[in-house]
Amino acid sequence: MPDDDPDLLTLPEYAENAFINRLPPIRSLAEIQRSFDCPPIHTELDRRRGSEARMHACLRLLHYSQPTVQSRDVGLKIDMIMRQGYVGRNPGSSDWLRFAHACAVEEEREAKKHKEKVGRREPSSDGVLEQLSPTRDTSMSFMMVGPPGTGKTHSCTTSLSYYPQVIFHTEPVQVAQITWLRIECPPDGSLVSLCRFFFAAVDKALRHAGFESDLHKRYRTKPLAVLLTGMARVANLHAIGLLVIDEVQHVGVNRKDGNALLNFLVTLRNSIGISMLMIGTMTALPIVQRTFRDARRGDGFGSVVFERMPGADSSPPPGSAIAVADDEHGAPAPIYGPAFEGFVKRMWRWQYTNTHTELSVGVLNALYSETQGVTDLVVKLFILCQMRLMMITSARPDTQEIITAKLIHEVAASSFNTVKPFIDALRNNDSKALAKFEDLMGSGDWFMKQVQGLGFAEQEPLHDVDHGAMHLPPMVTKDGIDVTVVDQLLEGLGIAVKEREMIVARHRRLIENGDLAGLVSAVQKDRSALSATDRLRKGKLKEKPPSDKDDLRARLKDVEEASAIAGAISAVSLEESLE
């Protein structure tokens, strides 16, 4: 085989570069695709186990995944941009050592300026790093975008798991190379938080590899300029090959800070030559593309878009054996597309019920109707349906456990009430409603709440987060929406304690009725009102004199303290004034 020739295994630009040579070998497309094939443990013996043991066995499906074109592309692109970024950073060259020294000098200079209090204005990221410029910048970047639950995080994590995160070199220099580093974009989109997240992630990676590191503690009280130069120094010193920024849609929460954060990432990439991967929902795509395009960087290597599996066209999927068989008995036409049918057919063999259920158009239609092709929801509805049947069997042992369309609808009605507004928005293609729920769908521990409701508690596997799972808040219960989780979500939006208490009290009826869509809409109105009040107090808007004695501003005229404003707003009912 010509592929066995040693001269053909390494590209000339990759040769004699220790940062590249110590990486695992380049994989074929088939090998990348196989890495995403994760079938659960399943034997015929499982069917003969008791219903309680089989319920636990069902949780094996939380680790289940299938290869997709998108996941394969992610694995290929990550390998390419990581190696390509190292082409311009060779530890055997004097250029890399000189640049590492320049980063250290720049950080020391910024620390000295702060100590001497030179200048009062907060420096920009461009100004702080403008002195740094790599001899040869070969870095690249790309984006992964898509709605929650479509497998973005799982594809990224599975791809990165191929590489040892830390590689220690003794030749030509002693250095602990960090091949990849993943951090989440701060919820407030601030640069200070990003830097602190970065140092904490570096500490975690180095400690896991057996090295001592306390960067987070060292930089905890440093000013922004020192944080920025320190981040550049550490990224270059440890030869970070790929910087992954997850939840990048958070930059839209605070437009000013978010733009500053993105501009800094562009500057960091230009000054250090580090390749980047950004992951986020569709709302982040225009902002990130605009920022990187303005910097003449583009998104470098294109974007990988993760989408839910589409529904059927006007006609049934051609060549579908299941569709043909059911149509002969007068069954309704499929509402799902070929991709959904293929995914479910491959998943359907992993049944832990005492009776195997044959797949039919009716069952497929029910699954698609209740999940709208969101991969994570399809798998979890499949798990919950099996568990429901096993609960029935534990009371009536002679029951045959058969998955029907009726069962699917019943389980979805009782267990998917939290995601129902999201599914309805997908079904109706309501872009405005989807924008409201997009970020809400990304937090909480919704699935295990449903599992615990079936009669036993089970700890969710840690790498379910990496499975691309949609983590939903356990908000809606039989008693309404969980107030504690509502308060946590409001806190995540940056709303102060007193304002959160005011909002919860004012919308008590929506909370008790479990009206999630109504609550989201009301909170958005409240945030707009509170933001407008803040702008008025800061003098950014010209205040018009109230024309009515019942005007809210007239009632707040004599209130000066910020803490008293919240109480005054609560007393006069902000919701009534807004209406």
Side-chain angles (χ1 to χ4, degrees):
M1 291 290 291
D3 290 347
D4 295 332
D5 188 340
D7 294 334
L8 299 178
L9 295 177
T10 304
L11 296 175
E13 60 268 31
Y14 294 169
E16 299 182 2
N17 187 323
F19 289 154
I20 299 178
N21 292 339
R22 291 286 298 277
L23 294 175
I26 298 174
R27 293 182 292 176
S28 67
L29 288 178
E31 290 173 325
I32 294 174
Q33 190 149 330
R34 281 196 298 270
S35 69
F36 292 97
D37 190 7
C38 258
I41 300 172
H42 185 278
T43 65
E44 283 302 314
L45 178 64
D46 291 325
R47 293 187 184 277
R48 301 202 298 270
R49 300 185 193 275
S51 57
E52 292 79 8
R54 287 187 288 117
M55 280 192 280
H56 282 267
C58 284
L59 295 180
R60 297 169 182 170
L61 284 164
L62 291 173
H63 311 267
Y64 174 66
S65 68
Q66 295 180 15
T68 63
V69 174
Q70 290 87 351
S71 59
R72 182 202 63 192
D73 289 348
V74 169
L76 177 64
K77 289 187 174 185
I78 282 179
D79 190 74
M80 296 173 75
I81 69 173
M82 183 185 295
R83 296 176 195 272
Q84 194 62 215
Y86 279 132
V87 169
R89 294 187 289 165
N90 191 333
S93 69
S94 58
D95 292 335
W96 183 79
L97 294 174
R98 280 198 299 267
F99 186 65
H101 176 69
C103 290
V105 170
E106 186 67 17
E107 180 184 354
E108 185 178 350
R109 186 176 71 87
E110 289 296 339
K112 185 177 180 180
K113 282 174 58 178
H114 175 73
K115 188 175 182 179
E116 296 174 353
K117 298 183 179 180
V118 178
R120 294 184 178 181
R121 295 187 62 183
E122 190 71 34
S124 67
S125 59
D126 294 338
V128 170
L129 301 182
E130 64 183 0
Q131 304 300 325
L132 302 178
S133 178
T135 304
R136 183 185 178 196
D137 180 12
T138 58
S139 63
M140 303 183 72
S141 66
F142 76 98
M143 280 194 68
M144 295 167 56
V145 292
T150 50
K152 301 185 301 295
T153 303
H154 171 63
S155 297
C156 176
T157 307
T158 302
S159 299
L160 294 177
S161 65
Y162 177 63
Y163 310 92
Q165 189 174 13
V166 178
I167 301 173
F168 183 68
H169 297 261
T170 56
E171 294 291 341
V173 293
Q174 283 196 354
V175 60
Q177 172 191 1
I178 299 178
T179 58
W180 56 269
L181 195 72
R182 176 186 172 274
I183 58 177
E184 287 195 1
C185 182
D188 57 357
S190 76
L191 264 175
V192 172
S193 298
L194 176 77
C195 293
R196 288 173 179 164
F197 286 3
F198 172 84
F199 292 126
V202 172
D203 285 343
K204 182 179 179 181
L206 292 176
R207 288 171 183 168
H208 185 72
F211 300 96
E212 292 185 2
S213 180
D214 60 350
L215 293 170
H216 184 262
K217 182 179 179 180
R218 174 182 172 183
Y219 285 95
R220 187 178 353 182
T221 59
K222 300 294 184 182
L224 179 60
V226 178
L227 288 173
L228 295 177
T229 51
M231 185 173 173
R233 181 186 67 83
V234 171
N236 183 72
L237 176 64
H238 289 290
I240 297 177
L242 176 65
L243 183 61
V244 180
I245 311 293
D246 206 348
E247 307 294 349
V248 75
Q249 69 273 6
H250 289 163
V251 298
V253 174
N254 186 323
R255 184 58 61 86
K256 180 180 177 181
D257 288 346
N259 287 336
L261 186 149
L262 288 175
N263 287 330
F264 169 69
L265 291 176
V266 174
T267 305
L268 181 68
R269 178 184 159 188
N270 293 340
S271 60
I272 302 297
I274 181 173
S275 295
M276 292 189 182
L277 164 60
M278 296 191 178
I279 308 174
T281 57
M282 298 301 292
T283 55
L285 187 58
I287 302 173
V288 175
Q289 282 185 332
R290 181 175 65 250
T291 303
F292 275 73
R293 185 166 55 246
D294 291 344
R296 297 185 180 182
R297 304 295 300 188
D299 53 357
F301 216 22
S303 300
V304 179
V305 180
F306 286 76
E307 296 179 315
R308 63 191 179 100
M309 293 173 280
D313 298 329
S314 56
S315 58
S320 170
I322 295 178
V324 172
D326 276 28
D327 284 345
E328 293 174 354
H329 296 84
I335 63 172
Y336 49 86
F340 180 82
E341 180 180 351
F343 179 87
V344 175
K345 285 174 69 176
R346 289 188 293 272
M347 177 188 71
W348 203 249
R349 73 185 76 173
W350 313 121
Q351 296 180 38
Y352 296 91
T353 51
N354 61 19
T355 306
H356 180 78
T357 303
E358 295 297 330
L359 194 57
S360 67
V361 168
V363 168
L364 282 164
N365 278 347
L367 276 172
Y368 192 85
S369 175
E370 298 295 351
T371 63
Q372 289 300 298
V374 176
T375 308
D376 183 63
L377 292 181
V378 175
V379 175
K380 289 184 174 173
L381 184 54
F382 183 48
I383 295 172
L384 292 172
C385 285
Q386 294 189 62
M387 287 184 169
R388 175 69 65 85
L389 290 170
M390 293 166 191
M391 285 293 295
I392 296 173
T393 304
S394 65
R396 299 195 296 270
D398 295 333
T399 305
Q400 283 191 325
E401 298 169 353
I402 299 177
I403 302 173
T404 63
K406 180 181 178 182
L407 174 73
I408 292 171
H409 291 303
E410 289 177 352
V411 171
S414 61
S415 300
F416 274 22
N417 48 6
T418 303
V419 298
K420 187 177 185 303
F422 181 62
I423 295 300
D424 289 342
L426 288 173
R427 187 181 293 115
N428 300 325
N429 199 23
D430 188 341
S431 57
K432 291 184 178 180
L434 285 172
K436 292 179 183 179
F437 291 106
E438 188 174 58
D439 293 331
L440 183 64
M441 294 296 133
S443 62
D445 193 11
W446 159 80
F447 176 71
M448 293 315 298
K449 184 82 171 180
Q450 307 303 326
V451 171
Q452 291 166 6
L454 289 169
F456 67 99
E458 178 73 23
Q459 189 67 32
E460 185 172 5
L462 291 178
H463 58 277
D464 182 50
V465 177
D466 302 333
H467 185 70
M470 180 188 289
H471 294 280
L472 306 173
M475 298 180 70
V476 183
T477 66
K478 63 180 181 180
D479 299 321
I481 302 177
D482 190 334
V483 177
T484 303
V485 180
V486 173
D487 183 75
Q488 292 173 354
L489 291 175
L490 294 177
E491 181 182 6
L493 295 174
I495 300 175
V497 176
K498 290 192 175 181
E499 281 76 7
R500 297 203 301 269
E501 293 174 351
M502 175 190 67
I503 290 173
V504 170
R506 185 165 55 254
H507 303 308
R508 178 68 62 179
R509 181 175 297 178
L510 294 174
I511 293 173
E512 291 176 350
N513 292 338
D515 187 354
L516 185 60
L519 179 64
V520 171
S521 177
V523 169
Q524 287 182 330
K525 290 181 180 179
D526 287 352
R527 288 187 68 196
S528 300
L530 290 171
S531 178
T533 303
D534 289 341
R535 289 197 300 271
L536 283 173
R537 288 185 59 78
K538 293 178 182 177
K540 293 183 179 179
L541 297 177
K542 293 184 178 179
E543 182 178 2
K544 296 182 180 179
S547 57
D548 189 344
K549 65 179 182 179
D550 292 327
D551 192 298
L552 178 62
R553 292 169 293 168
R555 301 192 186 193
L556 296 177
K557 182 178 180 182
D558 299 325
V559 180
E560 296 181 358
E561 296 295 329
S563 60
I565 289 179
I569 291 177
S570 179
V572 301
S573 178
L574 177 60
E575 184 181 37
E576 179 180 346
S577 299
L578 283 171
E579 293 298 330

